[in-house]
Amino acid sequence: MMKCNLLKLSVLLLIGGLFACDSDPKLSEKALIPLPEKVVEQNGVFTIDENTKVFIDRPELEGVGVFFSKFINHSTGFNIQVVTEKPESDYIALELGLDAPDEGYGLDVRPDVIRIKGASTEGVFRGFQTLRQLMPVAIEKEGGFEGGSWKIPGVKIEDAPEYAYRGSMLDVARHFFGVEDIKRYIDLMSLYKMNYLHLHLADDQGWRIEIKSWPKLTEIGGSTAVGGGEGGFYTQEDYKEIVAYAQERFITIVPEIDMPGHTNAALASYPELNCNGEAPELYTGIEVGFSTLCTDKEITYQFIDDVVRELVELTPGPYIHIGGDESHVTPLEKYIPFIEQVQDIVNSYDKRVIGWDEIAHAALRPSATAQYWSKAENAKMAVDQGAKVLISPATKAYLDMQYDSTTQLGLHWAAYIELDSAYLWDPAELEEGISKDDILGVEAPLWTETITTMNELEYMVFPRLIGIAEIAWTKPGLREWDDYKSRLIKHEERLKALGVNYYSSPLLKKGKAK
Ligand code: ACM
């Protein structure tokens, strides 16, 4: 192999890649997910070695440059540096100025240089995730080098996302997941170019974010979980750490406080939020639809204003999610003015509202988004009001739905969702009257009634989240199940290298590539 490298080096410098080594990686061996818009194979390979540099053409790329060099150094043991003076050769160039949509990028891998050019720093970051998937899977492991070689097949890629919002939701209320778990989730999302993580921070069974002006929310409301476990919550410092970690990976955190229903934890913490002034017991079951904030009391709106104000201080992103689902014990004539008032509170802090599709019963404020999970007629009411829709159909995108009747974890009240079912749909074709222009994006929620550990979480999420990421990123005309399946089969090696406890579906074994 060494001989081949030396020969290749001298020959490549002269005529650029006419000779290939048998041991060189082939583009056809790689699995790019989500599939980029345009992929053209090129001659030659680029080899990352200890002399490779990351070159940035603008100071604002320093953050991503340092992020990439650390990522590469972590596995290779190299000490690759970020430089601002262009090297002669053997460098990865990060550049801005591409004329493309915001997260668009171009990636050009040649024997002497790799170029990632973005329309924004975000675009450059997305381009790096594509480059990562062209690298040997050992790049995913600390010290993965072990004498290996870091060759990347020549290719030219042009790419941009179909939807601006490509997200996932974690329910940290039914069962709590700590900061390290959330960071791992963010890391895994970033590999698939996802850009929003929605945290469901409060529900009947738990309140998970410290609110300094209402401290009993976490003292009492955060003290348990489904099944009576010990619960937990994020301090504001914890939460800032999550937000910053996500920002570094170009992921925006969307905090949700579900209301007026799904509020037993808050009602148990503060009796004054109940119409009868009495605090209910903490709740550790999995029923829904039995709790409501008292929509008639002034104190309720003071409470919401305080919570939103503190959340906004922790939230650089544009959205606050107000829940609004399954408020079965709030009469509609009270629910509607409540949702309208809460939208005004959120808007008064210059944030936009997202709420589950039921909020479309209220007059939606101009910047509001309805998250379609259950009723198409609600989503259509939102569109008729000029609002955008975030697409999360429970029958396709709910990651807690069981794969089939043998799945031990999860539930199946909406559907069994095998990998093909999770992949074979198009947000813009799902419901008549909801077209591409009405859609903000796609989000895959994981509810955690039955999920207690990261291992369990990963089993339900992977690999379905990967298919949802492709639906949200890749143009529908380029998506095809058999092609996706064969890429996913190749991608399993990377999931293993990452230590992901994914569901090894029978669909991935049938017709497995030799
Ligand atoms: C929901 O699944 N209740 C939004």
Side-chain angles (χ1 to χ4, degrees):
M1 193 158 78
M2 178 53 86
K3 202 161 147 217
C4 185
N5 273 343
L6 287 174
L7 173 68
K8 189 199 69 174
L9 189 67
S10 49
V11 172
L12 282 182
L13 287 175
L14 291 171
I15 48 174
L18 276 184
F19 290 117
C21 292
D22 284 348
S23 60
D24 284 350
K26 311 280 180 298
L27 185 62
S28 59
E29 293 159 2
K30 303 291 174 183
L32 296 179
I33 313 179
L35 186 67
E37 202 168 334
K38 194 165 169 210
V39 180
V40 179
E41 190 160 13
Q42 301 194 127
N43 284 334
V45 296
F46 182 94
T47 304
I48 300 179
D49 57 34
E50 60 271 26
N51 299 315
T52 304
K53 303 272 186 289
V54 173
F55 163 66
I56 54 169
D57 80 337
R58 317 257 175 114
E60 57 266 41
L61 287 168
E62 183 164 357
V64 279
V66 169
F67 186 91
F68 298 169
S69 59
K70 275 194 195 155
F71 179 85
I72 295 169
N73 292 338
H74 181 74
S75 339
T76 58
F78 298 152
N79 185 23
I80 287 171
Q81 300 290 319
V82 178
V83 298
T84 52
E85 210 162 288
K86 194 183 279 191
E88 297 259 295
S89 69
D90 191 12
Y91 64 100
I92 302 172
L94 308 182
E95 299 169 343
L96 289 178
L98 185 73
D99 185 15
D102 221 24
E103 293 176 87
Y105 69 91
L107 170 63
D108 189 1
V109 179
R110 294 167 182 267
D112 55 341
V113 59
I114 293 176
R115 228 171 259 293
I116 304 177
K117 187 163 185 169
S120 61
T121 48
E122 204 171 341
V124 172
F125 185 84
R126 305 295 172 222
F128 180 74
Q129 298 307 325
T130 303
L131 179 62
R132 177 177 168 189
Q133 294 185 354
L134 292 168
M135 293 180 187
V137 297
I139 201 81
E140 307 298 346
K141 292 192 204 169
E142 181 170 8
F145 186 51
E146 290 168 9
S149 95
W150 300 103
K151 291 180 177 183
I152 300 168
V155 67
K156 195 164 164 57
I157 290 175
E158 288 167 25
D159 201 10
E162 176 77 347
Y163 290 106
Y165 186 119
R166 306 173 306 280
S168 184
M169 185 209 82
L170 288 184
D171 168 13
V172 293
R174 269 45 175 271
H175 283 103
F176 182 64
F177 289 82
V179 174
E180 291 312 309
D181 288 341
I182 303 298
K183 285 183 176 175
R184 174 164 167 85
Y185 200 69
I186 288 168
D187 276 329
L188 291 170
M189 285 176 70
S190 74
L191 174 56
Y192 308 104
K193 303 185 174 69
M194 297 198 105
N195 62 350
Y196 283 90
L197 174 61
H198 164 187
L199 292 175
H200 183 77
L201 291 168
D203 211 303
D204 290 318
Q205 299 87 346
W207 185 284
R208 308 299 182 201
I209 176 76
E210 177 188 25
I211 300 295
K212 292 185 197 279
S213 53
W214 294 74
K216 288 191 216 158
L217 290 170
T218 45
E219 274 168 34
I220 297 172
S223 66
T224 191
V226 165
E230 68 177 4
F233 65 91
Y234 307 116
T235 64
Q236 294 199 354
E237 289 309 307
D238 290 339
Y239 194 80
K240 283 183 202 161
E241 194 179 322
I242 290 171
V243 168
Y245 193 84
Q247 263 183 323
E248 225 191 334
R249 287 148 185 81
F250 294 87
I251 290 177
T252 301
I253 302 291
V254 179
E256 177 187 352
I257 300 297
D258 204 344
M259 56 185 132
H262 290 276
T263 41
N264 193 77
L267 297 166
S269 307
Y270 286 99
E272 57 269 43
L273 299 175
N274 297 272
C275 283
N276 66 4
E278 285 173 26
E281 296 284 299
L282 288 167
Y283 182 67
T284 60
I286 63 166
E287 296 300 316
V288 297
F290 59 88
S291 58
T292 184
L293 292 171
C294 189
T295 57
D296 300 332
K297 284 185 167 178
E298 259 313 296
I299 184 90
T300 297
Y301 300 95
Q302 186 54 53
F303 163 73
I304 294 167
D305 196 288
D306 287 339
V307 169
V308 170
R309 175 174 41 76
E310 291 198 36
L311 267 186
V312 165
E313 281 164 14
L314 303 171
T315 303
Y319 301 110
I320 299 290
H321 200 303
I322 62 168
D325 58 319
E326 297 174 311
S327 284
H328 302 324
V329 294
T330 322
L332 195 58
E333 66 274 16
K334 295 191 183 228
Y335 176 86
I336 287 172
F338 173 88
I339 292 294
E340 289 168 359
Q341 199 167 336
V342 174
Q343 290 181 85
D344 292 340
I345 291 172
V346 171
N347 292 165
S348 78
Y349 291 101
D350 290 329
K351 295 291 181 191
R352 296 183 214 163
V353 160
I354 304 181
W356 298 106
D357 60 48
E358 290 95 323
I359 67 164
H361 288 285
L364 295 178
R365 302 314 188 223
S367 62
T369 294
Q371 186 165 8
Y372 169 38
W373 69 280
S374 170
K375 289 217 167 101
E377 67 253 36
N378 290 345
K380 280 184 224 159
M381 277 200 294
V383 167
D384 289 345
Q385 295 191 52
K388 291 273 186 204
V389 179
L390 179 58
I391 302 282
S392 303
T395 52
K396 293 287 180 193
Y398 267 30
L399 300 170
D400 56 311
M401 290 299 111
Q402 293 168 329
Y403 293 99
D404 63 25
S405 60
T406 68
T407 311
Q408 300 291 310
L409 298 163
L411 303 168
H412 57 261
W413 54 264
Y416 293 113
I417 309 178
E418 246 299 352
L419 304 192
D420 50 354
S421 175
Y423 181 80
L424 282 166
W425 60 283
D426 177 0
E429 297 288 328
L430 201 61
E431 301 296 343
E432 213 171 299
I434 303 178
S435 58
K436 165 106 202 280
D437 286 348
D438 304 316
I439 297 173
L440 175 65
V442 184
E443 185 180 284
L446 180 81
W447 301 99
T448 60
E449 286 94 336
T450 67
I451 312 295
T452 60
T453 65
M454 201 57 189
N455 222 33
E456 292 175 352
L457 182 154
E458 288 178 13
Y459 184 80
M460 296 309 285
V461 167
F462 292 97
R464 286 184 293 198
L465 185 71
I466 304 174
I468 302 285
E470 178 150 304
I471 290 172
W473 179 279
T474 304
K475 304 255 168 306
L478 296 175
R479 290 196 283 106
E480 205 268 315
W481 164 250
D482 282 331
D483 171 65
Y484 170 69
K485 187 174 81 167
S486 69
R487 281 180 287 125
L488 192 54
I489 288 169
K490 287 181 209 153
H491 187 73
E492 285 184 88
E493 286 308 310
R494 196 166 296 268
L495 291 175
K496 285 179 189 154
L498 284 161
V500 174
N501 180 37
Y502 67 97
Y503 163 63
S504 179
S505 165
L507 294 179
L508 297 180
K509 287 166 196 135
K510 245 187 260 169
K512 185 156 183 147
K514 294 266 168 357

